[in-house]
Amino acid sequence: MDTVFGIPGGAVLPLYHELAVSGLRHILTRHEQAAAHAAEGYARATGKPGVCIATSGPGATNLVTGIANAYMDSIPIVAITGQVGVAMIGRDSFQEADITGITMPITKANYLVKNIRDLAATIHEAFYVATTGRPGPVLIDIPKDVTTQRAAFQYPPKLRLPGYRSRVEPHVLQVAQAAAAIQAAARPLLFVGGGVITSGAHEEVRQLAEEQDIPVVISMMGKGAFPENHPLFVGMVGMHGTVAANYAVCETDLIIGVGVRFDDRVTGKIEAFAPQAKIIHIDIDAAEIGKVVPAHIPIVADARQALQAILAKLPERKEHPEWRQRIWRWQEENPLRYDECGLKPQYVIEELYRLTEGRAIISTDVGQHQMWAVQYYPVERPRSFLSSCGLGTMGFGVPAAMGAAVARPGETVVAITGDGSFQMNIQELATLRHYNIPVKIILLNNGYLGMVRQWQEFFFERRYAYSELGGNPDFVKVAEAYRLPARRVASREEVVPALQEALETEGPFLVEFLIDREENVFPMVPPGGTLNKMVTGGRQQ
Amino acid sequence: MKRTLSVLVENRPGVLTRVAGLFSRRGYNIDSLAVGRTENPSISRMTIVVDGDEQIIEQVCKQLNKLIDVIKLSDITDDPHVGRELMLIKVNAEPAVRGEIMQIVDIFRARIVDIARNSLIIEATGDADKIDALENALRPFGIREVVRTGKIAMLRGAKTKGMEASGDGTGD
Ligand SMILES: Cc1ncc(C[n+]2csc(CCOP(=O)(O)OP(=O)(O)O)c2C)c(N)n1
C-alpha cells in the first residue's frame, strides 16, 4: 500500500499535516465517494487494501456509498474518517455524524478510537481484518484530539481477536464427497465468482476444468477468474448471461460453485435454478452456504486450498465429450449478436478489445454499457475487470479506473461508462488531469438512463418515465474545460481512429460515442424469471 | 420453533447495537435478548431467543458468528439448561382482593415487593411458561404494568459454554 485517496477537512487536519511528510502518496479527489471508489479500484486491481480518508460529518457520509459497494463485493478497503473531539461527541457538534453507527451494516468491522494508546493496534487490526478471511471494508473513526496526542509506538501491536476466524481448512470428509460427486457427474459445471480472484485460485480452477473436462460459467465478479477464450469457457450466467451458460445451468447435474454467492441476478427464480443439479458450494464465509440455495456438499474454506485438496483426490483425467458438445452447440446456435447498422455500442467495445488485444484493465459503470462490456470485452487475467456488481453503483467507473491506474502504472486502463453514470462523478476529470492519471474514458452516450429505459420498454408499456437525460452537456467541451483531450464520434467509420488516438495519447482521454439511442441488452432473463426463458433479441411487443 | 442461543461477546462499545442491528437488517425476529457481563469483565454473555424455521436459525447463527466481537455462540436449546426470566408486574389490588392475589403469588412462589394503596408490585422468576401463567392468573385483577427481562440461561452440571475461543486469537 503506497497511495491513499481523500479530501481533507477540519477534523483530519492534524492527520493531513503529518501525511504531507509521511512519504505516502495522497491523491486529492474531488468527492469523497470517488476517493472510496478509487480505493476500491486500487484494491480490485491489486488485491492490496485500498485506503481512503475523509473528514468528519459530510466527508464521512460521502464515503458511505463506496463503503457499501466494497462490502457487497468483498473488497478490502480501509476508510479513515475524522471525528469531532472526544468531548464533543454526541452533542450534534459542527460536522459531527455517527459514522460508526451509520456504517455498521456495511462494514466488516468498524472502530471509534477514543484513546491514542489504542490507535496503532486498531489500525493494525483494521488492515488485518479488511484483508483476511472474506475481505471487506473496515472503517476507523478518529476524533480530532486523538490525532494530536502522542503515544509511544510499538510494532507490531498485538492483535486480540478471539472471535475472528480468518483461516478455515477444508474438511477432509467434504473434500472426499466433493471429489466423489465430481467423478460421478455426467454433466458437471464449474461456476466461479469473485472468491476465486480473491484467493488467487484461478490456476486451480483451470486445472480442475481441464483435467476433468468441466465447462466453466462465471458470475460478473468472476470475470477474469477463467480465461474467456478457453474452449471450456461458456459465459456469464444470469439476467444478462449467455444463452449457453444459462442453458448449461438448467441442464447440469453438478454445480461446483467456487467463491460465488448465488446472487438473485444470477439465479433468477430460485426454485427453478439448476433443477437437476447437486450443488457443491465452496466459500470462505460459512454464512454464504445455504443462504440462497441449499448446498449438498458445503465446503467452508479458502477457494484455493479447497480446490487443491479436491484435485489431489481426483484421478488424472476424465472426459465428458457429449456434455461439452451439447454446450458447444448451444454456443454456436446462440452467439451474441447485434444489428450492424448505425453506431452500435457493441461494435465500439469489440473494436476496443481488438485494439487493446484484450489486455486492458476495464472498469465499468452501471447500466447497459456495463453489460455490453461484460459481453464484448472478454478478459483473460484476474483483476482486469472492475465493476460494481453487488450494489450496482452508478458513478463507480471513472474513480475505480483512477485507483487501478494509480495502482498499476504502465497498464492501459479504460473506463466504460454511460452518460447517466458518468455525470455521477464527472468532477473526477479534474483529478485525472491534476495527477495526469492515464485513464481512457469510453462514454457511450444514448441520451437515456439506458438500462432503466430498457426495463420501461419491456415491463412498463414503453412509458419512458423520467429516464431521458434531457439537458446533457456537451461532454467534449466539459472534458476540454477540465483540459482533457476529447473526441466525439457519431459514425461507425470514426470509431477505430478515435479509439486509436485515445490509446496512443499519453494521459487521460475521453471519447464520446453517440450510440444508437434505443439499443437493448440481450439476452435478458426477465426479473424473477427462469434461466431457460430468455428474450434474445428484437423488440418485445 | 424457538431456539435459545447463548452468545459470548467482547464487552466493547457497540456490540449490542451490532447484534440487534444484524437481526433487524436481515429480517429475523428476536423474541428476547438479555445481556450482562460475565465472570470476566471484558466479556459479556447474551442470551437470545429467536423464532424461525431451521434455515433461518442456521443463518442467524452463521451471521452472528461472523461478527468479530462474537467470541462463541452455542445453541443450547437441546442441552439440559436452566432458563430463567425475571418479571416485575404491577396489578390493581383493592384491599378486598389482596388475599386472593397473595394466594396466587404463593402458588407461583413469587414475591410481593411493593404495596401501595390500590396496587401491588410482584416479582417472579422462572421459565417463560411459569411467568406467562402468572401473568394470566393476575390478568383478571387488572394489570397496570409489566416489565420482563427476557430469558437468561446456563447449562446444567459442570459443562460450561466457556471462553475457549476458536478465532485467530492473539498475535499473528
Ligand atoms: C447510484 C445509482 N442510482 C440509480 C441507479 C439505477 N440505475 C441502474 S442502471 C441506470 C441507468 C444507467 O444509465 P447510464 O449510466 O447512462 O448507462 P446506460 O444504461 O445508458 O448504458 C440507473 C439509473 C443505480 N444503479 N445507481
Side-chain angles (χ1 to χ4, degrees):
Chain A
M1 206 271 296
D2 43 33
T3 310
V4 301
F5 304 87
I7 300 185
V12 284
L13 282 178
L15 183 69
Y16 268 78
H17 190 62
E18 298 304 322
L19 192 60
V21 293
S22 67
L24 276 174
R25 183 173 186 204
H26 177 273
I27 305 258
L28 175 70
T29 59
R30 271 34 177 191
H31 190 307
E32 287 87 354
Q33 187 190 335
H37 290 323
E40 281 184 76
Y42 183 96
R44 287 177 200 247
T46 60
K48 295 189 281 183
V51 178
C52 53
I53 305 178
T55 191
S56 65
T61 54
N62 270 353
L63 292 177
V64 167
T65 302
I67 294 172
N69 197 63
Y71 186 73
M72 290 291 273
D73 288 348
S74 309
I75 305 301
I77 64 170
V78 174
I80 297 173
T81 48
Q83 183 53 276
V84 300
V86 172
M88 309 289 284
I89 291 176
R91 302 187 183 185
D92 300 324
S93 307
F94 177 65
Q95 290 194 333
E96 181 186 359
D98 171 17
I99 197 64
T100 45
I102 290 170
T103 58
M104 207 167 265
I106 51 168
T107 47
K108 190 172 167 189
N110 67 21
Y111 308 87
L112 170 62
V113 184
K114 283 191 174 168
N115 192 319
I116 181 75
R117 272 174 291 134
D118 302 329
L119 187 60
T122 304
I123 291 175
H124 184 53
E125 184 175 315
F127 277 89
Y128 181 71
V129 168
T131 51
T132 52
R134 177 181 186 171
V138 172
L139 178 134
I140 313 172
D141 197 25
I142 314 175
K144 183 172 184 178
D145 46 350
V146 171
T147 55
T148 56
Q149 294 160 6
R150 302 203 160 263
F153 180 72
Q154 325 166 306
Y155 196 86
K158 224 176 179 260
L159 283 179
R160 216 187 64 80
L161 289 166
Y164 182 60
R165 282 158 290 269
S166 66
R167 283 173 301 263
V168 210
E169 307 277 310
H171 194 283
V172 190
L173 194 74
Q174 288 163 345
V175 166
Q177 284 176 346
I182 291 170
Q183 275 176 272
R187 300 181 305 281
L189 190 64
L190 260 159
F191 173 29
V192 301
V196 168
I197 293 170
T198 305
S199 76
H202 48 282
E203 278 307 325
E204 283 74 9
V205 166
R206 185 216 282 262
Q207 196 186 340
L208 179 60
E210 286 176 354
E211 286 179 6
Q212 303 297 313
D213 192 26
I214 307 176
V216 180
V217 297
I218 57 167
S219 65
M220 189 154 58
M221 281 299 289
K223 210 170 150 66
F226 190 79
E228 292 185 46
N229 62 353
H230 196 287
L232 286 167
F233 181 75
V234 191
M236 183 173 85
V237 274
M239 182 173 281
H240 294 297
T242 61
V243 173
N246 284 342
Y247 279 178
V249 167
C250 294
E251 301 279 306
T252 175
D253 63 351
L254 177 71
I255 286 194
I256 308 155
V258 193
V260 283
R261 59 183 183 84
F262 297 94
D263 182 84
D264 52 281
R265 278 289 187 276
V266 159
T267 58
K269 195 173 171 195
I270 288 165
E271 306 81 65
F273 178 76
Q276 309 168 33
K278 230 188 190 171
I279 295 180
I280 300 173
H281 191 180
I282 302 172
D283 204 295
I284 197 161
D285 180 357
E288 280 308 331
I289 289 173
K291 188 183 79 178
V292 180
V293 297
H296 303 89
I297 305 172
I299 301 184
V300 180
D302 172 71
R304 184 145 181 246
Q305 281 182 23
L307 289 177
Q308 282 170 350
I310 292 172
L311 281 164
K313 287 247 176 297
L314 286 168
E316 291 273 291
R317 265 183 203 285
K318 169 130 195 198
E319 300 246 341
H320 307 98
E322 258 177 57
W323 174 227
R324 199 188 337 113
Q325 295 297 339
R326 188 125 156 252
I327 290 178
W328 283 348
R329 196 162 341 109
W330 287 327
Q331 286 183 301
E332 240 169 60
E333 286 166 6
N334 307 280
L336 287 169
R337 63 178 151 226
Y338 58 91
D339 194 355
E340 307 250 336
C341 60
L343 178 49
K344 296 289 181 182
Q346 299 94 329
Y347 173 72
V348 173
I349 296 171
E350 277 184 333
E351 288 302 329
L352 175 72
Y353 175 74
R354 207 173 50 77
L355 291 170
T356 54
E357 294 166 350
R359 307 281 305 164
I361 297 173
I362 302 290
S363 91
T364 80
D365 256 302
V366 173
Q368 293 180 309
H369 62 276
Q370 178 186 33
M371 295 304 145
W372 290 318
V374 169
Q375 292 176 337
Y376 292 91
Y377 201 100
V379 299
E380 270 153 57
R381 304 173 296 165
R383 305 199 177 281
S384 52
F385 190 87
L386 324 176
S387 196
S388 166
C389 301
L391 196 65
T393 307
M394 291 168 71
F396 170 84
V398 170
M402 177 161 94
V406 166
R408 290 172 59 176
E411 303 242 13
T412 304
V413 180
V414 181
I416 298 176
T417 185
D419 45 333
S421 297
F422 183 46
Q423 293 182 77
M424 289 205 183
N425 269 317
I426 198 166
Q427 75 290 339
E428 297 309 315
L429 291 179
T431 315
L432 294 179
R433 176 71 288 157
H434 182 185
Y435 297 96
N436 198 30
I437 301 170
V439 169
K440 315 297 176 190
I441 299 170
I442 304 293
L443 169 60
L444 299 175
N445 183 353
N446 51 12
Y448 281 110
L449 296 166
M451 187 59 97
V452 171
R453 190 208 54 75
Q454 176 170 345
W455 279 51
Q456 288 170 333
E457 177 183 334
F458 280 64
F459 312 117
F460 295 92
E461 306 159 13
R462 305 174 89 156
R463 184 184 297 158
Y464 297 162
Y466 311 110
S467 54
E468 186 169 5
L469 287 163
N472 266 348
D474 180 329
F475 288 109
V476 170
K477 279 201 181 138
V478 169
E480 281 166 359
Y482 281 107
R483 297 187 306 282
L484 254 71
R487 286 284 166 277
R488 176 175 300 116
V489 171
S491 74
R492 197 179 155 92
E493 295 68 47
E494 301 164 81
V495 169
V496 172
L499 285 174
Q500 261 165 344
E501 187 187 0
L503 293 167
E504 282 160 15
T505 307
E506 260 181 63
F509 200 104
L510 177 122
V511 196
E512 177 193 17
F513 296 89
L514 301 177
I515 58 166
D516 188 341
R517 296 195 62 191
E518 301 205 0
E519 186 63 20
N520 285 323
V521 179
F522 296 116
M524 179 185 201
V525 177
T530 60
L531 292 183
N532 57 1
K533 300 219 172 62
M534 283 161 277
V535 186
T536 52
R539 292 263 140 74
Q540 208 183 30
Q541 296 306 316
Chain B
M1 189 180 55
K2 280 201 169 85
R3 307 293 297 182
T4 303
L5 310 177
S6 182
V7 189
L8 279 180
V9 298
E10 299 239 25
N11 197 356
R12 292 204 225 186
V15 183
L16 185 58
T17 329
R18 230 172 266 276
V19 170
L22 186 145
F23 279 80
S24 62
R25 170 161 69 102
R26 301 239 173 218
Y28 309 136
N29 266 331
I30 314 186
D31 240 49
S32 79
L33 191 162
V35 56
R37 66 163 190 76
T38 61
E39 64 280 11
N40 176 343
S42 67
I43 292 177
S44 299
R45 187 184 294 279
M46 295 186 182
T47 308
I48 306 175
V49 182
V50 272
D51 201 358
D53 62 25
E54 207 174 312
Q55 208 232 336
I56 288 184
I57 303 289
E58 193 183 315
Q59 260 300 305
V60 168
C61 292
K62 285 173 166 175
Q63 294 292 348
L64 279 173
N65 250 323
K66 251 168 82 165
L67 295 180
I68 285 161
D69 293 328
V70 169
I71 301 168
K72 195 169 169 63
L73 176 148
S74 335
D75 182 342
I76 60 168
T77 319
D78 300 327
D79 296 331
H81 68 266
V82 181
R84 288 287 182 274
E85 189 174 352
L86 169 68
M87 171 174 73
L88 293 175
I89 180 166
K90 192 180 283 173
V91 284
N92 289 333
E94 299 297 328
V97 296
R98 280 206 179 155
E100 203 181 330
I101 293 177
M102 282 162 75
Q103 260 182 352
I104 294 172
V105 167
D106 251 8
I107 292 167
F108 281 92
R109 295 207 180 77
R111 297 197 296 155
I112 293 169
V113 291
D114 186 60
I115 302 184
R117 208 148 50 83
N118 293 320
S119 69
L120 296 171
I121 298 179
I122 296 154
E123 169 197 310
T125 57
D127 59 22
D129 281 351
K130 171 180 156 181
I131 303 270
D132 290 345
L134 175 60
E135 198 180 323
N136 285 334
L138 293 172
R139 182 152 297 132
F141 301 98
I143 294 173
R144 293 197 181 176
E145 205 178 334
V146 174
V147 182
R148 296 171 66 154
T149 59
K151 179 180 177 178
I152 57 169
M154 187 178 269
L155 287 183
R156 284 191 188 277
K159 249 179 47 180
T160 53
K161 286 291 179 190
M163 311 283 186
E164 79 289 0
S166 44
D168 286 18
T170 53
D172 206 275

